[in-house]
Amino acid sequence: MKVLLLIGVSIFAGLISAPPAGAKDPNDAQAGQRLPTRGPVKSNSVPKAERDVNLVDGLLRGVPIVEGDFADPFALAERDALYIYATNTVDANIPVIRIRKNQLFKAQYLGDALPTLPSWTVKGFQWAPSVWAAPDGSFVMYYTTPSSAGFGKKQCISRATSSDPAGPFVDNSTEAFICPLSEGGAIDASIFVDTNDALYLIWKSDGNCCNLATVIYSQPLTSDGLSVAGPPVELITASQPWEDNLVEGPSMIRKGATYYLFYSANQWDTTNYAIGAATCTSVSGPCTKPEDKPWMDSGTFSKGPGGQEFFESAGKAGIWMVHHGWLPNQAGTPDGQRRLYLDKLGFQQGDTLPTRTGKAAAAEALVQDALIVGLVLAVMIGLWFLVRSLLRRRKQKSAA
């Protein structure tokens, strides 16, 4: 148990500890947004419940790190905590959990980050949130919601603001933020901050609602993130057999001059759902798919993975990935739930795409911490023999 605790400390030190000061090397890998350089933002949210975080086993074996329904996750790294948001559940429009730096194996369920919806939409269809941490300490959430009641209407992207990463976020809009009705609407917004601090929203046209093509776009935003600053630019569309005419759930990272566009494809409620990847020369493309197969497909404990999002490790260089997946035999079933999974990215020289290295990261932490435990045990044993020897000498002197 002590070894597992030490592993968790090592891993979480890289997830939610204070970021190093100074500008980052532009060749370092960068997730959708950089870590904040300001101090922690005070959160007034009171936890409603706690869930166990299965961090070590999640990385080593690929099992969910948190139990329960948590589809389309988005992780926001703050200096003192990790906030993870998800698609609506039975009790929240946008559920949010928090993993604190000083509570390594517990996730605090904070309830609904978006308790009130604008009047032009309806409950029950709030999907795929993405949250931008603005430099001034405020937060902007982008999320999917219908233009009016029911699935017969188009899904659109809206936005809400808050001074607290846990919410409540407030959406005071009177209409959708992004909603190209002629293309079936828009879903799955993901924030990306470029090297010059320019903001972009990566999103998908929801053409599969209406027998239209699905397209992933990049669109510039104003510096406050509250308005679009230009027209959308097409990045990719469905072009490979495994995608089954459907691409969605985009997210982007960058390393050096290369931008990596990740996306989900195929039917969301089947085990054929998977994650693809493309390389781009800029946040606005052009993009190329270097492989004709998924970058990540079903594993032993995660079927139909998708909804991938990325965040930066705070204490040391690294990019981590959250995604959802079905447990075995649950995909598309009435009682099935998409669970929350964690992985890490690695960049190997000569590889066209990043690789998943979460298992290796956990194994490395295991070796390092086993050495530490061994050293501590050796010191304790040495001290025990020293004390025993001193007591024996004292006893001999007393006998004499």
Side-chain angles (χ1 to χ4, degrees), residues 32-378:
Q33 59 185 311
R34 300 178 187 87
L35 290 157
T37 55
R38 51 167 168 69
V41 174
K42 183 178 180 180
S43 176
N44 297 315
S45 295
V46 177
K48 299 181 182 301
E50 282 192 341
R51 303 176 185 177
D52 291 332
V53 177
N54 195 8
L55 181 67
V56 179
D57 210 23
L59 287 172
L60 286 174
R61 299 176 58 231
V63 300
I65 63 167
V66 175
E67 293 299 321
D69 192 8
F70 223 76
D72 305 314
F74 181 88
L76 175 69
E78 283 287 309
R79 290 169 64 100
D80 59 344
L82 189 68
Y83 293 84
I84 309 179
Y85 312 82
T87 278
N88 69 277
T89 57
V90 294
D91 60 351
N93 295 320
I94 302 293
V96 56
I97 60 175
R98 177 176 60 200
I99 303 174
R100 286 190 178 277
K101 181 180 177 181
N102 60 355
Q103 293 178 308
L104 304 182
F105 293 101
K106 293 293 182 182
Q108 299 174 327
Y109 175 57
L110 303 179
D112 195 344
L114 185 69
T116 303
L117 298 173
S119 59
W120 56 267
T121 191
V122 293
K123 290 176 65 70
F125 308 96
Q126 286 64 54
W127 303 341
S130 177
V131 177
W132 173 52
D136 64 359
S138 62
F139 300 86
V140 182
M141 174 189 288
Y142 307 93
Y143 67 102
T144 301
T145 196
S147 59
S148 58
F151 278 117
K153 304 298 182 181
K154 304 296 190 296
Q155 289 284 92
C156 305
I157 294 169
S158 192
R159 51 123 178 102
T161 59
S162 177
S163 60
D164 187 329
F169 284 81
V170 176
D171 187 340
N172 57 8
S173 64
T174 57
E175 60 182 3
F177 183 50
I178 296 174
C179 197
L181 296 177
S182 62
E183 297 184 57
I187 69 172
D188 297 347
S190 181
I191 191 70
F192 183 83
V193 184
D194 208 358
T195 53
N196 57 359
D197 292 330
L199 296 180
Y200 290 83
L201 208 61
I202 317 295
W203 53 272
K204 169 228 176 179
S205 65
D206 201 28
N208 53 298
C209 75
C210 323
N211 295 317
L212 299 171
T214 55
V215 181
I216 290 177
Y217 289 103
S218 171
Q219 188 162 12
L221 302 178
T222 54
S223 60
D224 62 3
L226 300 179
S227 303
V228 297
V233 176
E234 180 178 323
L235 298 181
I236 63 168
T237 187
S239 60
Q240 298 182 349
W242 74 268
E243 296 166 345
D244 196 25
N245 298 313
L246 174 61
V247 291
E248 59 187 14
S251 53
M252 184 174 279
I253 65 173
R254 180 194 61 80
K255 181 172 175 60
T258 302
Y259 294 73
Y260 299 93
L261 174 67
F262 293 86
Y263 61 96
S264 305
N266 212 295
Q267 306 306 311
W268 69 274
D269 56 352
T270 72
T271 57
N272 295 323
Y273 203 59
I275 299 171
T279 58
C280 312
T281 59
S282 76
V283 66
S284 300
C287 300
T288 303
K289 299 174 185 177
E291 298 180 350
D292 59 358
K293 60 182 180 180
W295 176 76
M296 177 184 179
D297 54 12
S298 293
T300 303
F301 301 106
S302 174
K303 304 300 182 181
Q308 72 296 324
E309 282 285 1
F310 303 90
F311 64 99
E312 290 188 22
S313 165
K316 50 189 175 182
I319 292 183
W320 296 80
M321 176 181 75
V322 289
H323 68 88
H324 70 239
W326 302 89
L327 291 178
N329 303 314
Q330 286 195 3
T333 62
D335 297 326
Q337 295 179 334
R338 287 172 287 177
R339 307 298 177 98
L340 176 63
Y341 296 81
L342 177 70
D343 214 322
K344 190 178 183 183
L345 292 194
F347 295 84
Q348 304 297 325
Q349 188 172 3
D351 287 351
T352 305
L353 296 171
T355 55
R356 293 161 47 226
T357 61
K359 184 175 181 179
E364 180 182 359
L366 174 62
V367 172
Q368 292 175 346
D369 292 321
L371 291 174
I372 293 173
V373 171
L375 179 61
V376 171
L377 289 175

